[in-house]
Structures are given as C-alpha cells and as structure tokens.
Amino acid sequence: MGNWIDISQVLNDRIPVWPGDTPFHYEVSWGMEESGSVNVGQVTMSTHTGTHIDAPFHFENDGKKVIDLDFNLYIGPAKIIHLQKPASIGIKEVEAVDLRGVKRLLIRTDAWQDKTVFPESIPHIEPELAAFLAEQGVQLLGLDLPSVDPLDSKELSAHHELNNKGIHILEGLVLDKIEPGEYELAALPLPLEQGDGSPVRAVIREIK
Ligand SMILES: N[C@@H](CC(=O)c1ccccc1NC=O)C(=O)O
Ligand SMILES: [Zn+2]
Ligand SMILES: [Zn+2]
C-alpha cells in the first residue's frame, strides 16, 4: 500500500465560495493573552465550501441530513477515472469504463484549474447517467467540481436524479495530479445533525 494522498482543498480565508454564499473565515476568538493558557478558534463557513459532501436535505426539504447518512459509504475502495475537460458527463463519456463492482467512482475532469477563483462554468452530470451508474452498483460519485449540475441550474436535475437512484455526492475534490486507477478512499463528513452538507478531509491511497 502506498501513502495516503490528500485530495482536499485547503480551507483558508482565500478559498472561493459559491457566488453569494457565506465566505470562509477562521479566527482565534479567545487568544492566549486573554485566556491565559490557550488559543481557541472559531470557524464560519458554508457547508458547500471546498471539498464536501451533499446530504439530500440540500436539495429536498424532507431529504436525509448528514447525520442520517451511512458513513461506511465514505470509506473504502474507489475507482478514479480521467475525462479530459468534457463538455458534460453522460453515458457516452463513461461507457468504455469497466464499472463492474465499483461502489465509489471519482471523476477527474481538470475543468476547474484555478481553485483560487470560483469557476464561470463547469461540465455537468447528465441526469441519465444516474440510472446507468446505479445499475452497475455505484453509490458514491465524486468530482473535482463544485457541483454536479450547471452552475446556473435551479432544477438541480442531476442532484435529484442521483439521489433518486441512491447515489451520494462528493464535490470539490483536488485530482490534478492523480492517475486513474484503483484506490482506497476516506472522506468522512462531520456528524452534523442538521447538516445539508459537510466539509470532508478526502484522502486516497493506491491499491497495489
Ligand atoms: N448545489 C451546490 C451548491 C449550491 O447550489 C449553492 C451553494 C451555496 C449557495 C447557493 C447555492 N445554490 C443557489 O442556487 C452544491 O451542491 O455544492
Ligand atoms: Zn454541495
Ligand atoms: Zn451539490
């Protein structure tokens, strides 16, 4: 087994967020001088900043919250594939890939190159892909993009269709230098009882 590799975005006050969303901010709210013994930090952030998972409650009022998700899904074998800057991601794009037995599929698109700025547009998941992936047993879909739908979508068809087919969503991965192949993944959400999403520390290691 190789070393674990970090595929998460670094969280700092410069990380770009969804237009209009809460900016990320960390500060030491109770410093050494004041407390006499420790620095105590405070974080303000959106649940959809950086590398994160979506809970169904993000796009459906009666959908599952983060605490209701089975965390086993976020740890285990994952296949990484590389599609070179696709216009969109549909059945045609993944048809040639052997997805038998693949429960976790991560797609590297390289379409969000400069992660210091929020992208203007992204390749989206075609909703028809959800049924195709589900048929082959995929239950987690991860992307190096901030959404599975077009950025201006209000219908969020891909989010809904993936959820309808039992596929969970992992967004904002950093896969720039990652070769396609078979890996182990760990990307655990926080135990947020009311969460519509959660930041994760996503790491992989090659299965050799
Ligand atoms: N669907 C996107 C996030 C998203 O749509 C969003 C995130 C923060 C603030 C507003 C958002 N969408 C508004 O239409 C995601 O899953 O991360
Ligand atoms: Zn999200
Ligand atoms: Zn999403």
Side-chain angles (χ1 to χ4, degrees):
M1 292 283 189
N3 281 326
W4 287 96
I5 303 163
D6 195 356
I7 53 167
S8 321
Q9 294 183 51
V10 173
L11 296 170
N12 59 39
D13 286 17
R14 299 180 306 281
I15 193 171
V17 300
W18 195 277
D21 203 1
T22 311
F24 181 94
H25 180 60
Y26 173 89
E27 68 179 41
V28 175
S29 52
W30 205 21
M32 200 68 90
E33 247 95 279
E34 216 189 325
S35 71
S37 56
V38 286
N39 290 312
V40 180
Q42 172 181 302
V43 176
T44 311
M45 71 181 294
S46 161
T47 47
H48 298 273
T49 294
T51 309
H52 70 278
I53 61 111
D54 289 353
F57 176 57
H58 176 49
F59 43 88
E60 285 177 10
N61 275 331
D62 57 356
K64 282 189 179 180
K65 311 254 172 95
V66 176
I67 199 75
D68 304 318
L69 303 173
D70 180 2
F71 60 76
N72 285 284
L73 183 60
Y74 302 95
I75 318 166
K79 188 186 197 85
I80 302 187
I81 64 171
H82 188 189
L83 306 176
Q84 309 259 12
K85 294 191 183 164
S88 66
I89 303 164
I91 297 171
K92 192 162 61 69
E93 279 67 35
V94 302
E95 230 163 24
V97 181
D98 185 4
L99 290 174
R100 281 171 302 176
V102 174
K103 185 168 169 184
R104 304 171 190 84
L105 177 66
L106 309 185
I107 305 180
R108 170 180 167 192
T109 70
D110 295 339
W112 184 9
Q113 292 275 20
D114 181 0
K115 290 201 177 56
T116 68
V117 294
F118 202 81
E120 303 250 301
S121 71
I122 55 168
H124 62 274
I125 297 292
E126 291 173 20
E128 304 75 49
L129 184 62
F132 180 83
L133 294 180
E135 265 168 48
Q136 325 221 21
V138 174
Q139 293 177 41
L140 179 70
L141 178 62
L143 290 159
D144 55 358
L145 300 167
S147 186
V148 292
D149 275 294
L151 297 176
D152 60 358
S153 168
K154 289 294 168 200
E155 298 79 27
L156 299 180
S157 315
H159 280 87
H160 286 286
E161 205 43 34
L162 288 164
N163 184 48
N164 291 341
K165 297 293 184 290
I167 300 176
H168 293 74
I169 301 167
L170 170 59
E171 296 167 330
L173 295 167
V174 181
L175 298 172
D176 302 349
K177 292 167 194 106
I178 307 299
E179 294 301 323
E182 307 299 328
Y183 293 84
E184 271 189 294
L185 167 76
L188 286 171
L190 303 176
L192 294 170
E193 190 171 87
Q194 304 170 85
D196 67 300
S198 172
V200 298
R201 183 72 180 266
V203 294
I204 53 170
R205 71 174 171 185
E206 216 175 330
I207 299 176
K208 284 191 181 141

